[in-house]
Structures are given as structure tokens and as C-alpha cells.
Amino acid sequence: MVVCGDDGLAHRLAAELRGVYGEQVTLVVPPDERTARPPVVGRARAASAAALLDRVVNAAVGRGAAAPGGDGVGDGAEPPRHERLLEAAEPGEAVLAEAGVERAVALALVYEDDETNIRAALTARRLNPRLRLVLRLYNRRLGQHIEELLDQAAALAGSDAAAGDASTVVLSDADTAAPALAATAVAGTSKVVQTDGLLLRAVERPPPRPGQVTDPGLCTLALLSATSGDPAGADGSEGSGEQGPRLLPDPAEVRDATGRGAVVLEQVSYSAGEQLTAGRGVGGVPPFASLFSRRLRWSLAGMAGCVVALAVALSVVTGIHPLGALYLTLLDMFAIDDPALGTSLGRQLLQLLSGLVGLLLLPVLLAAVLEALGTFRTASGLRKPPRGLGGHVVLLGLGKIGTRVLTRLRELHIPVVCVESDPEARGLATARRLRVPVVLGDVTQEGVLEAAKIHRAHALLAVTSADTTNLEAVLYARSVRPDLRVVLRLYDDDFATAVYRTLRAAHPRAQTRSRSVTHLAAPAFAGSMLGRQILGAIPVERRVLLFAVVDVRGHPQLEGRTVEAAFRAGAWRVLALEGRPDAHEGYVLRAEDRVLLAATRRGLAELLGRHGAPARPPGTVG
């Protein structure tokens, strides 16, 4: 297999294919990266990130670098030894030929630039029509057209495209990682996996109290770390031993577990036509409450109270009907009534007070008109965080990842305030369309997070492209709110582990999550290179659980077995059968069936490993 790329995803993908699936990999990277590790915090800010890490998390770096391998974010992303490395600025025809594309089974093109990936894919399809292609593209619509074009080219070249050998798969690391990042930011939010006509969600549930029985859902996907409170109290990776999370436990293990939270699977209804209506008025008109500020609304209410009080007083003093008194009061306020000459002293004083209230009312009415006009004028522009906002998620960064995360959060009807320093960022159009408040400014500058109401926020999700910015913002937010839930998108897995452990130690009562996008996206890319349909990856603390659609034919661990007998604890579990909603645990799987599986990475590699891949000794963990 050949992997071509220019960032950490290429290194992580090569490590996944080599270390988990036992594949022979040729890695093509830009020059001068032969002896270098994948960049810790991105190419642009590597030096500043190293300095900041020395100051903030120096004590944890040694432990993070020595973290054991496994399904967790702490896995190292170094290219495995004994794999072939090529240096090339661009994947041209000569480079692809030297990498062995003509003899390869699959090629992954994961450069950050869409055009580079497309150009190399067209060349590779010409060199090897039977090659399985996996492309990293951000543009969804273009990706669909490229898939059709390359598959059609393979079919015209005479390859067996129907068998899946020459298939083309277009993936986006942003789309793959966004659901997990959004779900991590909000406690209790569904982690959703969708397949044909079926919507499943994984929900974290706290440990049951003595005598309490919790709903087991459809099945238990995992037992969380053995802590009495926040799962962040344990390391949460494969190296945590008995205290760490247990993926796909058997029923006996679930019954015997005490003091552990659980991740259970639920089935939910879904309406394809459901539209996002939060924050919108009828027919696109802003809601009435958004036309005026809270202070102005209180001012109007106070003026109305004064008018009513004056009308009541006038009715008492003069003895006229209350409606007549209200009418006279309004005439006095707007100075269009006759002077109260020859009347009682009380009536004259009330007329003077009404005129004074009228003078005070004029600037209030003018402010109301200006605010309403401003609201309609900026209805298609960027909104500011409303006054009194609380319980929201502050999202830092509206780049590729941030835009997808924003869309995901709004699909879940979660209030969001975005912070972005670039006025030309691609995600601003999405924020404007969804009417999401945006604060334009550098998050590292004083006052920017305060403008996003960080002191009343529910969580902070930092997904900018610079790890130093994410880390600095989180540290500052923690100084404002020590109990704030924070989620960081970090470039490198080891750096993510070090930050996670240090923040967890410094703030033991607050929830901290560090997520590497390459860690969340690599399993889906690796599965596609093996011809597997990976629907999603759900993080369980610092490990990952994969969901895949698999044909039963050709898998003796599934074919001819019942759904119950096909389950292997800690490896895989059959969740559903395509086209058979009435299937039960006693149903015997047939060759023509397709099943939805939940599996660990090792379990999926064992179950779906390609014929001829090196076998692992029994009990091997790595």
C-alpha cells in the first residue's frame, strides 16, 4: 500500500496500516522529513509550541512520550520501522511509479491541498486501473464528482470495479473528526452513527447508585474507567490496566462492574426533513426579542408603567373614567392637549409630569427605532453574542475543522459562540447562514474570550490550526473558570497526551479532553484502503471504537453463527443486520447478509485483515 501526504495524517495512516493491519507500506513525504518525526504542533508554529510546552507541560512530556500504544490518543504517530520512505515535493507520475503504484493494492492521497490529491489520483488511475484509491478532499460536492469520474475510468479500462478492487473513496478528515469533537464538548450529547435507515447513538451514563438499576439500552459498548466521578480521573488509554476503559465487555463483566460508568447504544428516530429552526423567526424575520436590547426593553417597560400610573392618578384626582384619563395622559405626554388652566392643582401637576415623561420617552423611542433598523440591516451579517447568554459552547476557529464542528453543534441544537481572528475565514459564511454569534479577534488577546461570554459558557472547544493558540486559550479560560469543560484539537498525539495529563492534574475537578484529528480520522482512511466501509469512530475516553458495515460472506467468525455466538468480547459485536430489523440474538448469519459491527481497531484488523497479511501471535497487544 502507498500513502502520500504532507502532514501528520500521512504518518498516522502509515502507522495504522503497518502496526494494526500488518500491511507493507510505502510512505511518500516531502523532502527533509526522512529523519524527522511528524510535526508536533504544525509546520508554522513548531518552535513556539516547543517553548510553550517546556514552560507549561514540561513535567508531563516524559510520561507522554513513553505512553504505551493501543487504541488511545496517546499512541505514537511515528512511521513504523522497516517501511519504505520516499522523498518527493509532489506526487508526480515518476514518483508514483517509483513508489510502486502499478503493483500496489491501494493508494491514499492525504495532502492538505485538494488539487494535489486530485491530480495525483488521475495519474494513479491511469498507471493502475485496478488500484483502490482513497482521497482526502474538503470539498464534498467536488469529491462526489471525482469518485464517479475515477470509478468510470476504472470501468472503461476493463477492471472489475464492481468487486470493489478499483473503488474510489473520498473522505474528509474534518467530516470524520467533527462529530467526535462536537460530542466531546457537551456532556450527554449523542454520539451518532448512521447507516441505511438506522440511526444509533452512544450515550455515556454515570455509575448506578446502590440499589439503582439503569437502562442498559440496546447493548453496552464500553465500561468507563473505574473512577467515582469524572472519567478524566483515569488515564483512559489501553495502558491504564484494570482501571482503564473496557471496550465491548461481555454480559458477565457488565454485571460485575461496580463504580463504573458505561457507554450504551440506543436507537433513535430521525426525520430527514427536519430543519434547523433555532434562532430564526417566521419567514426568516428575526424574533421580536432580538430587535431590542434588554436594557431598552426594560426602559420601554418603565415608561409604560409611568403612563399607567399617571392615568390612574388622573382618574382619582378628576373622577373621570380610567380610559378617558389614559387618553388625556397620552395627549399631555405628546403636548397636544390644552393647558389645564382653571383646574385643580392636582390636575395641573399631573399635566406637568406627563409632559416630562413625554420628553423622556422621545429618546427611548428613537433608540428603539435605530436598534430595530440595525437588527434588520445586519440580519445577513455576523451576530454579536446576545446579552445574558449562558450555557453555550465557545468554539475557537472557523477553518476546515471548526466549520464542520459548528454545523454539527447546530444540528444538535446547541447554542454556540464562535471566535475567529481571520475576517476572511471560510466558516464565517456558515456562521452567518446559521445566525451564530461571532467574535472577530485574536483569542490570545485580552477581552476576546470575555466578549464570547466565557465566564458563563458550558464548554470551550479550541480547534484552531495552531496548537499554541488552542493551549493558550484553554489555559486562560481555566484561569477565568477553573471548572470549565475544555476540548482541544491538537496536531500530534504525544503532544495531546502530555497536555491532557497536565491539565487533568492541575484541574482535577474539571473535565479535560485533548483530541488529535489525525487520531480520529486515520481509522476511517485505513479501513477504506482495505475496502471496508467505516461509518464512524467514537472515542471512549482515550480509546476508539469503530463502526463498520461488513459482508458476512468469507468471514468464518460470522458466517453460520448466531448473532450471539458471533460476539467476541473486547474485539467486535454485531449490532444490526441490513434489511432485517426483526433479527434477534438467535438469528443465524448467512453469507448474503450484511451486518453493522462495533469493533476495536485490533478486533477489526483480526476480523477483516486482507488475505496474505502477516498473522499476529495469539494474545499479541500493540
Side-chain angles (χ1 to χ4, degrees):
M1 294 190 171
V2 181
V3 177
C4 303
D6 56 358
D7 64 358
L9 180 57
H11 294 274
R12 159 62 75 172
L13 179 54
E16 188 91 6
L17 292 170
R18 177 73 176 177
V20 177
Y21 296 96
E23 296 291 339
Q24 297 180 2
V25 180
T26 297
L27 178 61
V28 180
V29 295
D32 300 327
E33 292 193 12
R34 181 184 299 276
T35 58
R37 288 191 49 179
V40 171
V41 293
R43 293 163 291 180
R45 298 201 179 189
S48 59
L52 183 60
L53 184 61
D54 287 340
R55 295 196 305 269
V56 180
V57 296
N58 188 47
V61 170
R63 291 181 295 165
D71 288 342
V73 178
D75 301 346
E78 293 186 57
R81 295 181 180 180
H82 309 300
E83 75 178 7
R84 186 182 177 203
L85 270 173
L86 293 180
E87 291 183 351
E90 290 189 359
E93 182 172 350
V95 173
L96 292 176
E98 184 180 357
V101 165
E102 297 177 354
R103 304 179 304 278
V105 175
L107 167 66
L109 297 164
V110 293
Y111 291 92
E112 289 188 334
D113 180 46
D114 286 2
E115 182 180 349
T116 300
N117 293 329
I118 294 173
R119 186 166 58 248
L122 295 173
T123 303
R125 178 60 80 214
R126 188 179 71 253
L127 295 175
N128 186 353
R130 293 186 58 86
L131 184 68
R132 182 181 299 117
L133 290 173
V134 178
L135 278 73
R136 172 190 186 181
L137 296 182
Y138 180 79
N139 190 322
R140 295 176 177 176
R141 182 174 301 178
L142 177 60
Q144 294 175 355
H145 295 314
I146 291 297
E147 269 193 42
E148 297 173 359
L149 176 64
L150 293 174
D151 285 345
Q152 184 178 5
L156 293 176
S159 66
D160 188 5
D165 292 339
S167 63
T168 303
V169 179
V170 175
L171 297 175
S172 166
D173 55 334
D175 287 330
T176 305
L181 289 169
T184 308
V186 183
T189 301
S190 303
K191 302 176 183 180
V192 176
V193 175
Q194 184 176 3
T195 183
D196 297 336
L198 185 65
L199 190 68
L200 302 172
R201 64 180 176 184
V203 181
E204 288 191 15
R205 293 184 176 168
R209 297 179 180 177
Q212 181 184 15
V213 178
T214 59
D215 182 8
L218 298 179
C219 67
T220 300
L221 295 177
L223 295 173
L224 299 177
S225 296
T227 59
S228 58
D230 177 19
D235 182 69
S237 67
E238 192 176 61
S240 302
E242 293 297 321
Q243 300 298 314
R246 301 180 184 178
L247 304 185
L248 301 175
D250 56 35
E253 192 174 8
V254 174
R255 288 193 305 268
D256 297 339
T258 57
R260 286 178 179 259
V263 180
V264 301
L265 189 68
E266 294 181 348
Q267 182 175 352
V268 295
S269 59
Y270 175 73
S271 173
E274 183 179 357
Q275 300 294 326
L276 180 64
T277 58
R280 296 179 181 269
V282 178
V285 179
F288 178 78
S290 67
L291 294 178
F292 309 113
S293 65
R294 185 179 181 182
R295 182 178 300 176
L296 182 57
R297 292 198 300 269
W298 278 109
S299 299
L300 291 173
M303 297 302 296
C306 290
V307 172
V308 172
L310 289 171
V312 172
L314 182 60
S315 177
V316 172
V317 171
T318 61
I320 62 178
H321 191 273
L323 291 179
L326 177 62
Y327 176 69
L328 289 176
T329 300
L330 292 176
L331 291 179
D332 290 337
M333 287 178 58
F334 296 113
I336 57 177
D337 193 20
D338 293 333
L341 299 176
T343 60
S344 64
L345 179 62
R347 170 72 180 93
Q348 293 176 344
L349 291 176
L350 289 175
Q351 189 176 53
L352 292 176
L353 290 175
S354 298
L356 179 61
V357 171
L359 292 176
L360 297 176
L361 180 61
L362 289 177
V364 175
L365 293 177
L366 179 61
V369 172
L370 293 178
E371 279 202 7
L373 291 176
T375 299
F376 281 104
R377 185 172 58 251
T378 60
S380 60
L382 296 176
R383 299 181 61 196
K384 294 182 178 180
R387 300 171 178 86
L389 178 65
H392 57 289
V393 173
V394 177
L395 176 63
L396 309 184
L398 286 175
K400 293 195 301 182
I401 303 295
T403 303
R404 296 289 196 253
V405 172
L406 172 61
T407 303
R408 180 66 177 172
L409 289 171
R410 293 307 296 130
E411 287 174 353
L412 297 173
H413 304 283
I414 297 169
V416 184
V417 173
C418 300
V419 179
E420 175 56 55
S421 60
D422 183 8
E424 303 296 328
R426 68 175 75 203
L428 290 178
T430 301
R432 186 179 297 110
R433 175 175 55 85
L434 297 177
R435 294 190 55 78
V436 173
V438 177
V439 176
L440 286 177
D442 187 350
V443 71
T444 62
Q445 299 298 319
E446 186 175 357
V448 175
L449 281 178
E450 284 81 356
K453 316 293 183 184
I454 192 65
H455 56 288
R456 292 198 296 267
H458 175 75
L460 171 66
L461 213 169
V463 294
T464 71
S465 58
D467 285 7
T468 51
T469 300
N470 295 336
L471 182 57
E472 184 175 352
V474 165
L475 293 175
Y476 178 76
R478 277 286 168 81
S479 68
V480 177
R481 280 272 309 278
D483 61 337
L484 182 68
R485 178 181 293 110
V486 297
V487 180
L488 294 84
R489 171 244 178 144
L490 297 177
Y491 189 87
D492 181 77
D493 294 337
D494 290 343
F495 185 69
T497 302
V499 170
Y500 166 79
R501 290 176 172 175
T502 303
L503 289 177
R504 186 195 65 199
H507 303 277
R509 296 185 178 181
Q511 290 190 0
T512 302
R513 298 290 184 267
S514 58
R515 299 294 187 217
S516 165
V517 173
T518 60
H519 165 77
L520 295 172
F525 279 82
S528 298
M529 292 188 72
L530 293 166
R532 314 303 179 191
Q533 184 181 357
I534 307 296
L535 297 179
I538 288 181
V540 179
E541 297 183 11
R542 303 190 67 75
R543 299 185 65 185
V544 173
L545 198 60
L546 303 178
F547 291 82
V549 173
V550 177
D551 291 316
V552 173
R553 187 185 306 275
H555 298 99
Q557 303 95 329
L558 303 176
E559 189 173 354
R561 297 173 179 261
T562 64
V563 172
E564 183 178 10
F567 166 60
R568 180 180 295 183
W572 63 77
R573 178 193 288 273
V574 175
L575 301 177
L577 276 74
E578 189 176 87
R580 295 182 181 273
D582 57 340
H584 50 82
E585 290 189 347
Y587 176 82
V588 178
L589 299 175
R590 299 182 294 183
E592 59 270 20
D593 289 331
R594 284 169 58 88
V595 296
L596 173 65
L597 287 173
T600 63
R601 294 191 304 167
R602 298 293 181 189
L604 193 63
E606 179 183 351
L607 180 65
L608 305 180
R610 287 197 305 119
H611 179 70
R616 292 182 175 274
T620 298
V621 177

